[in-house]
Amino acid sequence: MGASTRAAVTSVGAAAVALAGFVADGLLAGVVLGLSLVFAAGWSRLVDLPTHRGAVVVVAGVAVAALAVVLTSTVAVLGIVMGLAVVGAFVHQMLRRDGRPRLTESVSGVVTGAVVVVSAAGWVAVGTSGSSPALVVTGAATIAAAAAVTTVPVTARTVVLLAPAAGGLAGLLAGVLLLDDVGPVPGLLVGLAAGVLTSALHVLFGRFPASRRLRPALAAALLPVLVVGVPVYLVSRLLAA
């Protein structure tokens, strides 16, 4: 899967989050869970972890737990989920029967995948703020704008500069012209964060050989959508303050 296709998948994932956030929080949780499970299915192969099946189980389980916590408790409990994810990563290694080659790499890869899906729960946590639909739409729009820039046939250094600018501009315009509940400064902050993350992840994972295969490529494409969840949530807390 080429860079342009991955960017298209990123934009589609962002659009799905925006639409779901605008319709209902329950639908948003379902969309985030679906995207997280697709990510979990391809993450271990994207970073070439030595054990694929166990890594998928741990990351997918953390995704389900993180969303369940956000829907039934407070965001602060996500810290406990992340701690248990680290424990799960070590238990996964203890259950291996292959001599445990590349042990450190396997643990760090699983924990990193868990961080991504825990961050994705931030999209659902935004539902606790009064401006949640507008902010979710703004965040998703900035990701789509930054992803579109990554398809431009320019150098990686140029992409790293242009994508944050495109994301920031999209957030600023959304906050000023479209979504009064957000405002220009929060929209700009969300856009810059989304642009930096999207461009950095595009350049990084685009160099991985596995990113041209379907499941790893989907994981690489959805990673920017998922990992922006917590930054968007933090902005929503600033708006509510």
Side-chain angles (χ1 to χ4, degrees):
M1 185 181 291
S4 59
T5 306
R6 291 199 309 273
V9 173
T10 302
S11 298
V12 170
V17 169
L19 180 61
F22 187 77
V23 173
D25 290 340
L27 180 59
L28 177 61
V31 169
V32 171
L33 177 59
L35 297 180
S36 297
L37 294 180
V38 172
F39 167 81
W43 171 247
S44 62
R45 296 188 182 276
L46 175 64
V47 295
D48 192 25
L49 298 183
T51 55
H52 298 299
R53 185 177 301 175
V56 170
V57 171
V58 173
V59 176
V62 172
V64 174
L67 287 172
V69 162
V70 168
L71 290 173
T72 60
S73 185
T74 63
V75 177
V77 185
L78 284 178
I80 298 176
V81 174
M82 194 62 239
L84 293 175
V86 176
V87 174
F90 280 102
V91 171
H92 165 234
Q93 300 307 312
M94 293 171 61
L95 295 176
R96 290 174 61 183
R97 294 295 181 265
D98 57 354
R100 301 190 186 97
R102 300 159 58 195
L103 178 62
T104 302
E105 181 181 345
S106 182
V107 171
S108 60
V110 172
V111 171
T112 302
V115 169
V116 173
V117 295
V118 168
S119 182
W123 285 112
V124 180
V126 176
T128 59
S129 68
S131 59
S132 58
L135 192 55
V136 168
V137 171
T138 300
T142 60
I143 295 172
V149 171
T150 64
T151 65
V152 179
V154 294
T155 64
R157 181 177 299 180
T158 304
V159 168
V160 171
L161 294 174
L162 290 180
L169 180 60
L172 182 64
L173 291 176
V176 172
L177 301 178
L178 301 177
L179 304 167
D180 294 334
D181 290 337
V182 176
V185 175
L188 178 62
L189 292 176
V190 169
L192 290 175
V196 170
L197 288 171
T198 301
S199 60
L201 294 172
H202 167 78
V203 172
L204 174 63
F205 290 108
R207 297 179 178 179
F208 281 42
S211 65
R212 296 191 174 276
R213 302 200 305 269
L214 180 59
R215 281 194 291 177
L218 289 175
L222 293 178
L223 200 159
V225 180
L226 300 176
V227 80
V228 172
V230 162
V232 172
Y233 170 76
L234 293 177
V235 172
S236 74
R237 293 295 87 202
L238 291 175
L239 289 176

